Amino acid sequence: MKQKVDLGIWSWLAQAVVALVAIAALLLIGMAYLPEIQKNERMRREIERLNAEIDQLKAVQQQQQLEFNALRNDPKTVERLAREKLGYAKADETVIRFETNAPAR
């Protein structure tokens, strides 16, 4: 039969040293991965920013597609645009343009 020898404080100190070494190893591993964790967070923020930009550009593209389709398929839209941008008028129409004066200084 084996007898257990009571080493007193030495047994407790040995356990404490093992625990401290384990904690130190975990801290070193954590410090080694900290830059990677920060890099991952920066990349995640960049992905969110780019996704927001993509959503905004999709909305602009959708609006431009609607305008394109209207110009391609709706003669009234083409007529309105020709009148507004190019100043066109029908043969029997009179066009009156109002100009605003610059404020006096």
Side-chain angles (χ1 to χ4, degrees):
M1 206 193 282
K2 288 188 177 182
Q3 285 185 325
K4 257 191 158 180
V5 178
D6 184 21
L7 298 176
I9 195 165
W10 294 109
S11 174
W12 182 85
L13 284 176
Q15 290 175 353
V17 167
V18 169
L20 288 174
V21 167
I23 290 172
L26 289 174
L27 285 174
L28 285 174
I29 291 171
M31 289 175 62
Y33 282 104
L34 183 62
E36 290 298 319
I37 293 170
Q38 291 171 339
K39 180 180 174 183
N40 189 7
E41 186 60 33
R42 282 192 307 272
M43 293 173 104
R44 185 174 290 123
R45 284 193 303 269
E46 180 69 8
I47 287 171
E48 289 174 3
R49 185 189 68 77
L50 290 172
N51 282 337
E53 186 177 338
I54 287 170
D55 290 342
Q56 180 184 12
L57 290 173
K58 281 182 180 179
V60 169
Q61 187 268 341
Q62 184 179 16
Q63 179 63 33
Q64 289 175 342
Q65 186 66 42
L66 289 173
E67 291 173 7
F68 175 77
N69 289 339
L71 286 170
R72 189 171 193 191
N73 301 321
D74 186 10
K76 289 185 179 184
T77 301
V78 174
E79 179 183 348
R80 180 185 50 80
L81 186 65
R83 289 172 177 268
E84 289 175 4
K85 300 289 182 182
L86 303 175
Y88 284 5
K90 292 182 182 178
D92 59 343
E93 290 181 332
T94 303
V95 177
I96 300 174
R97 291 191 177 89
F98 295 95
E99 295 182 14
T100 58
N101 292 332
R105 291 185 180 189

PDB file of all heavy atoms in Angstrom, residues 59-72:
ATOM      1  N   ALA A  59     -29.238  51.519 -55.577  1.00  0.00           N
ATOM      2  CA  ALA A  59     -30.395  52.419 -55.629  1.00  0.00           C
ATOM      3  C   ALA A  59     -30.238  53.412 -56.779  1.00  0.00           C
ATOM      4  O   ALA A  59     -31.211  53.686 -57.506  1.00  0.00           O
ATOM      5  CB  ALA A  59     -30.552  53.149 -54.301  1.00  0.00           C
ATOM      6  N   VAL A  60     -29.037  53.945 -56.970  1.00  0.00           N
ATOM      7  CA  VAL A  60     -28.786  54.878 -58.075  1.00  0.00           C
ATOM      8  C   VAL A  60     -28.981  54.163 -59.409  1.00  0.00           C
ATOM      9  O   VAL A  60     -29.614  54.696 -60.328  1.00  0.00           O
ATOM     10  CB  VAL A  60     -27.360  55.470 -57.971  1.00  0.00           C
ATOM     11  CG1 VAL A  60     -26.968  56.218 -59.238  1.00  0.00           C
ATOM     12  CG2 VAL A  60     -27.256  56.383 -56.766  1.00  0.00           C
ATOM     13  N   GLN A  61     -28.458  52.952 -59.507  1.00  0.00           N
ATOM     14  CA  GLN A  61     -28.588  52.174 -60.741  1.00  0.00           C
ATOM     15  C   GLN A  61     -30.058  51.882 -61.051  1.00  0.00           C
ATOM     16  O   GLN A  61     -30.486  51.971 -62.200  1.00  0.00           O
ATOM     17  CB  GLN A  61     -27.785  50.870 -60.618  1.00  0.00           C
ATOM     18  CG  GLN A  61     -27.708  50.067 -61.902  1.00  0.00           C
ATOM     19  CD  GLN A  61     -28.797  49.025 -62.040  1.00  0.00           C
ATOM     20  OE1 GLN A  61     -29.427  48.628 -61.076  1.00  0.00           O
ATOM     21  NE2 GLN A  61     -29.040  48.603 -63.254  1.00  0.00           N
ATOM     22  N   GLN A  62     -30.831  51.563 -60.027  1.00  0.00           N
ATOM     23  CA  GLN A  62     -32.248  51.288 -60.232  1.00  0.00           C
ATOM     24  C   GLN A  62     -32.976  52.535 -60.739  1.00  0.00           C
ATOM     25  O   GLN A  62     -33.797  52.458 -61.654  1.00  0.00           O
ATOM     26  CB  GLN A  62     -32.877  50.793 -58.937  1.00  0.00           C
ATOM     27  CG  GLN A  62     -34.315  50.387 -59.072  1.00  0.00           C
ATOM     28  CD  GLN A  62     -34.897  49.880 -57.758  1.00  0.00           C
ATOM     29  OE1 GLN A  62     -34.337  50.093 -56.696  1.00  0.00           O
ATOM     30  NE2 GLN A  62     -36.019  49.208 -57.840  1.00  0.00           N
ATOM     31  N   GLN A  63     -32.644  53.701 -60.164  1.00  0.00           N
ATOM     32  CA  GLN A  63     -33.262  54.947 -60.599  1.00  0.00           C
ATOM     33  C   GLN A  63     -32.879  55.255 -62.052  1.00  0.00           C
ATOM     34  O   GLN A  63     -33.726  55.645 -62.854  1.00  0.00           O
ATOM     35  CB  GLN A  63     -32.847  56.107 -59.676  1.00  0.00           C
ATOM     36  CG  GLN A  63     -33.424  57.442 -60.061  1.00  0.00           C
ATOM     37  CD  GLN A  63     -34.941  57.475 -59.977  1.00  0.00           C
ATOM     38  OE1 GLN A  63     -35.534  56.827 -59.139  1.00  0.00           O
ATOM     39  NE2 GLN A  63     -35.560  58.228 -60.862  1.00  0.00           N
ATOM     40  N   GLN A  64     -31.621  55.061 -62.375  1.00  0.00           N
ATOM     41  CA  GLN A  64     -31.181  55.315 -63.750  1.00  0.00           C
ATOM     42  C   GLN A  64     -31.832  54.336 -64.729  1.00  0.00           C
ATOM     43  O   GLN A  64     -32.163  54.715 -65.858  1.00  0.00           O
ATOM     44  CB  GLN A  64     -29.655  55.231 -63.844  1.00  0.00           C
ATOM     45  CG  GLN A  64     -28.967  56.387 -63.162  1.00  0.00           C
ATOM     46  CD  GLN A  64     -27.457  56.248 -63.144  1.00  0.00           C
ATOM     47  OE1 GLN A  64     -26.917  55.164 -63.331  1.00  0.00           O
ATOM     48  NE2 GLN A  64     -26.775  57.357 -62.916  1.00  0.00           N
ATOM     49  N   GLN A  65     -32.021  53.102 -64.309  1.00  0.00           N
ATOM     50  CA  GLN A  65     -32.687  52.123 -65.169  1.00  0.00           C
ATOM     51  C   GLN A  65     -34.135  52.535 -65.427  1.00  0.00           C
ATOM     52  O   GLN A  65     -34.635  52.407 -66.549  1.00  0.00           O
ATOM     53  CB  GLN A  65     -32.632  50.724 -64.536  1.00  0.00           C
ATOM     54  CG  GLN A  65     -33.162  49.629 -65.416  1.00  0.00           C
ATOM     55  CD  GLN A  65     -32.303  49.400 -66.659  1.00  0.00           C
ATOM     56  OE1 GLN A  65     -31.077  49.410 -66.562  1.00  0.00           O
ATOM     57  NE2 GLN A  65     -32.924  49.218 -67.800  1.00  0.00           N
ATOM     58  N   LEU A  66     -34.813  53.043 -64.391  1.00  0.00           N
ATOM     59  CA  LEU A  66     -36.191  53.522 -64.575  1.00  0.00           C
ATOM     60  C   LEU A  66     -36.234  54.687 -65.557  1.00  0.00           C
ATOM     61  O   LEU A  66     -37.105  54.750 -66.432  1.00  0.00           O
ATOM     62  CB  LEU A  66     -36.782  53.934 -63.231  1.00  0.00           C
ATOM     63  CG  LEU A  66     -37.113  52.802 -62.253  1.00  0.00           C
ATOM     64  CD1 LEU A  66     -37.519  53.376 -60.899  1.00  0.00           C
ATOM     65  CD2 LEU A  66     -38.205  51.913 -62.816  1.00  0.00           C
ATOM     66  N   GLU A  67     -35.291  55.621 -65.417  1.00  0.00           N
ATOM     67  CA  GLU A  67     -35.244  56.762 -66.330  1.00  0.00           C
ATOM     68  C   GLU A  67     -34.952  56.303 -67.754  1.00  0.00           C
ATOM     69  O   GLU A  67     -35.555  56.795 -68.712  1.00  0.00           O
ATOM     70  CB  GLU A  67     -34.183  57.757 -65.861  1.00  0.00           C
ATOM     71  CG  GLU A  67     -34.532  58.466 -64.571  1.00  0.00           C
ATOM     72  CD  GLU A  67     -33.393  59.328 -64.046  1.00  0.00           C
ATOM     73  OE1 GLU A  67     -32.372  59.497 -64.746  1.00  0.00           O
ATOM     74  OE2 GLU A  67     -33.527  59.835 -62.913  1.00  0.00           O
ATOM     75  N   PHE A  68     -34.027  55.370 -67.902  1.00  0.00           N
ATOM     76  CA  PHE A  68     -33.691  54.836 -69.221  1.00  0.00           C
ATOM     77  C   PHE A  68     -34.905  54.185 -69.873  1.00  0.00           C
ATOM     78  O   PHE A  68     -35.205  54.422 -71.049  1.00  0.00           O
ATOM     79  CB  PHE A  68     -32.540  53.829 -69.098  1.00  0.00           C
ATOM     80  CG  PHE A  68     -32.205  53.134 -70.378  1.00  0.00           C
ATOM     81  CD1 PHE A  68     -31.476  53.773 -71.364  1.00  0.00           C
ATOM     82  CD2 PHE A  68     -32.631  51.836 -70.604  1.00  0.00           C
ATOM     83  CE1 PHE A  68     -31.167  53.135 -72.553  1.00  0.00           C
ATOM     84  CE2 PHE A  68     -32.327  51.182 -71.795  1.00  0.00           C
ATOM     85  CZ  PHE A  68     -31.592  51.839 -72.770  1.00  0.00           C
ATOM     86  N   ASN A  69     -35.598  53.355 -69.110  1.00  0.00           N
ATOM     87  CA  ASN A  69     -36.786  52.686 -69.644  1.00  0.00           C
ATOM     88  C   ASN A  69     -37.864  53.690 -70.034  1.00  0.00           C
ATOM     89  O   ASN A  69     -38.550  53.515 -71.047  1.00  0.00           O
ATOM     90  CB  ASN A  69     -37.329  51.671 -68.646  1.00  0.00           C
ATOM     91  CG  ASN A  69     -36.435  50.463 -68.505  1.00  0.00           C
ATOM     92  OD1 ASN A  69     -35.635  50.163 -69.390  1.00  0.00           O
ATOM     93  ND2 ASN A  69     -36.549  49.761 -67.385  1.00  0.00           N
ATOM     94  N   ALA A  70     -38.024  54.742 -69.232  1.00  0.00           N
ATOM     95  CA  ALA A  70     -39.022  55.764 -69.557  1.00  0.00           C
ATOM     96  C   ALA A  70     -38.638  56.485 -70.846  1.00  0.00           C
ATOM     97  O   ALA A  70     -39.499  56.737 -71.707  1.00  0.00           O
ATOM     98  CB  ALA A  70     -39.148  56.756 -68.405  1.00  0.00           C
ATOM     99  N   LEU A  71     -37.362  56.807 -71.011  1.00  0.00           N
ATOM    100  CA  LEU A  71     -36.928  57.488 -72.234  1.00  0.00           C
ATOM    101  C   LEU A  71     -37.046  56.573 -73.451  1.00  0.00           C
ATOM    102  O   LEU A  71     -37.336  57.032 -74.561  1.00  0.00           O
ATOM    103  CB  LEU A  71     -35.479  57.963 -72.096  1.00  0.00           C
ATOM    104  CG  LEU A  71     -35.268  59.175 -71.193  1.00  0.00           C
ATOM    105  CD1 LEU A  71     -33.797  59.403 -70.938  1.00  0.00           C
ATOM    106  CD2 LEU A  71     -35.891  60.410 -71.821  1.00  0.00           C
ATOM    107  N   ARG A  72     -36.846  55.311 -73.260  1.00  0.00           N
ATOM    108  CA  ARG A  72     -36.864  54.363 -74.363  1.00  0.00           C
ATOM    109  C   ARG A  72     -38.300  54.007 -74.786  1.00  0.00           C
ATOM    110  O   ARG A  72     -38.555  53.802 -75.971  1.00  0.00           O
ATOM    111  CB  ARG A  72     -36.130  53.102 -73.938  1.00  0.00           C
ATOM    112  CG  ARG A  72     -35.885  52.144 -75.043  1.00  0.00           C
ATOM    113  CD  ARG A  72     -34.973  51.060 -74.574  1.00  0.00           C
ATOM    114  NE  ARG A  72     -34.502  50.302 -75.712  1.00  0.00           N
ATOM    115  CZ  ARG A  72     -33.871  49.179 -75.624  1.00  0.00           C
ATOM    116  NH1 ARG A  72     -33.612  48.677 -74.437  1.00  0.00           N
ATOM    117  NH2 ARG A  72     -33.471  48.552 -76.684  1.00  0.00           N
TER     118      ARG A  72
END
